[in-house]
């Protein structure tokens, strides 16, 4: 079936903007990144590196060079989950009109550890989403009914059945670009993988916070690969706010991030990984010595 004229216009909006540009409205400076921007371009951008090291570091860690040269911002944000039960054509899981999440009692070593209230325990796969959410980014969405802007913090959801996706895009809608405000926040990211190429993280964390007289405020701590959608660790943010950022503060934030975890039968190891991941992301954002690389 050929796409409608409106759908074609939506595709044109994406194809016409695959770059990285700086702008400003009403005194608020921002960067806009097209959905078609390659991951390699994002990682290599000097301006993005200066302002959003959490984002460029995350982009540089995705898979291997071949995938980063082909993969895009929009693709990374909107990819579907990698649960092997969902991907198996012979398994009729909850997200494929079935009644059962087989990962609950099956092979679940890579699945969510924040599982309370979720009927499906997939792990959110986007590597760029945590950094963008921590930085207060919004998505510019186009579709048959025009354009709309949505905070990326509200872009994801935990699907419960085959009528829902891991995001809130309506039928025939596309992400055209992402806008990130320039607020001068300290920010950083850290992830743990089993191998250094062609693999998703086991746990990933991005943090951002303002610094006033050496004290952190407005902190955001966002985790991925631990819940069905990017997980905002509010307890970890509270552990940072009002504190000088030190190794001890980072350790406290890491411990606080584990609040509410309910690991499955084979993935309790992620709880400790997450604690360490948050600690190291906080220390990276503060430019504290990265002792683990010594």
């Amino acid at each position: 079936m050929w796409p409608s004229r409106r759908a074609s216009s939506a595709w044109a909006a994406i194809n016409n903007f695959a770059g990285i540009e700086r702008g400003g409205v009403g005194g608020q400076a921002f960067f806009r990144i097209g959905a078609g921007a390659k991951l390699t371009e994002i990682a290599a951008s000097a301006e993005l590196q200066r302002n959003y090291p959490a984002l460029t570091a995350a982009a540089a860690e995705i898979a291997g060079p071949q995938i980063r040269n082909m993969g895009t911002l929009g693709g990374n944000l909107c990819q579907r989950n990698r649960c092997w039960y969902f991907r198996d054509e012979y398994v009729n899981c909850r997200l494929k009109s079935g009644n059962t999440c087989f990962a609950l009692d099956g092979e679940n070593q890579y699945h969510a550890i924040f599982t309370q209230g979720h009927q499906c325990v997939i792990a959110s796969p986007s590597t760029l989403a945590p950094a963008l959410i921590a930085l207060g980014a919004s998505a510019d969405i186009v579709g048959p009914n025009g354009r709309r802007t949505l905070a990326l913090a509200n872009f994801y959801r935990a699907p419960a059945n085959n009528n829902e996706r891991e995001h809130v895009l309506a039928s025939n809608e596309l992400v055209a670009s992402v806008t990130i405000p320039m607020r001068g926040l300290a920010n950083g990211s850290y992830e743990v993988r089993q191998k250094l190429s062609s693999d998703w993280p086991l746990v990933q964390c991005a943090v951002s916070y303002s610094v006033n007289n050496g004290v952190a405020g407005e902190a955001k701590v966002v985790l991925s690969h631990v819940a069905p959608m990017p997980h905002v660790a509010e307890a970890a943010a509270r552990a940072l706010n009002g504190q000088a950022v030190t190794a001890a503060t980072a350790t406290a934030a890491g411990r606080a991030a584990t609040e509410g975890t309910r690991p499955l039968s084979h993935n309790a190891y992620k709880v400790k990984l997450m604690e360490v991941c948050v600690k190291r992301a906080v220390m990276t954002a503060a430019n504290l010595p990265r002792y683990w690389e010594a």
Side-chain angles (χ1 to χ4, degrees), residues 115-204:
T115 56
Q116 187 170 10
H118 295 307
Q119 296 176 301
C120 171
V121 292
I122 56 173
S124 177
S126 176
T127 301
L128 299 184
L132 289 169
I133 292 172
L135 292 165
S138 59
D140 181 27
I141 298 169
V142 296
N145 297 319
R147 307 179 79 97
R148 64 187 179 108
T149 300
L150 180 68
L152 268 179
N154 300 322
F155 181 77
Y156 294 96
R157 66 179 171 191
N161 55 59
N162 66 314
N163 294 318
E164 297 180 346
R165 293 293 182 265
E166 294 86 340
H167 51 69
V168 298
L169 289 177
S171 178
N172 290 328
E173 282 191 323
L174 299 167
V175 175
S177 61
V178 168
T179 300
I180 319 171
M182 293 181 62
R183 299 178 54 208
L185 299 176
N187 61 93
S189 66
Y190 191 84
E191 67 177 51
V192 179
R193 288 185 287 172
Q194 286 186 319
K195 54 183 183 290
L196 294 180
S197 66
S198 303
D199 199 9
W200 281 271
L202 297 170
V203 176
Q204 181 199 6

Side-chain angles (χ1 to χ4, degrees), residues 57 61 188-190 280-281 283-285 287-294:
E61 292 287 335
S189 66
Y190 191 84
R280 293 185 178 183
M283 293 179 68
T284 298
N287 290 317
L288 293 173
R290 296 167 64 96
Y291 62 86
W292 56 89
E293 294 182 344

Side-chain angles (χ1 to χ4, degrees), residues 54-71:
L55 176 63
T56 56
E61 292 287 335
I62 295 173
Q66 296 91 337
I67 292 177
R68 290 195 295 272
N69 286 333
M70 294 293 292

Side-chain angles (χ1 to χ4, degrees), residues 54 129-137 183 185 206-209 218 220-222:
L132 289 169
I133 292 172
L135 292 165
R183 299 178 54 208
L185 299 176
V207 302
S208 71
Y209 50 85
E218 305 175 274
K220 287 186 180 180
V221 179
V222 187

Side-chain angles (χ1 to χ4, degrees), residues 21-93:
E21 66 177 17
R22 181 171 179 167
V25 175
Q28 173 63 67
F30 60 80
F31 272 92
R32 180 176 290 121
I33 309 174
K38 297 293 192 292
L39 301 175
T40 298
E41 297 175 277
I42 295 171
S45 169
E47 286 195 290
L48 293 182
Q49 288 173 3
R50 282 193 295 272
N51 292 280
Y52 315 116
L55 176 63
T56 56
E61 292 287 335
I62 295 173
Q66 296 91 337
I67 292 177
R68 290 195 295 272
N69 286 333
M70 294 293 292
T72 63
L73 169 65
N76 187 269
L77 292 178
C78 298
Q79 64 185 299
R80 298 223 64 184
N81 74 83
R82 61 190 182 105
C83 171
W84 36 54
Y85 296 108
F86 172 75
R87 296 286 181 174
D88 190 332
E89 62 180 310
Y90 298 107
V91 175
N92 191 32
C93 73

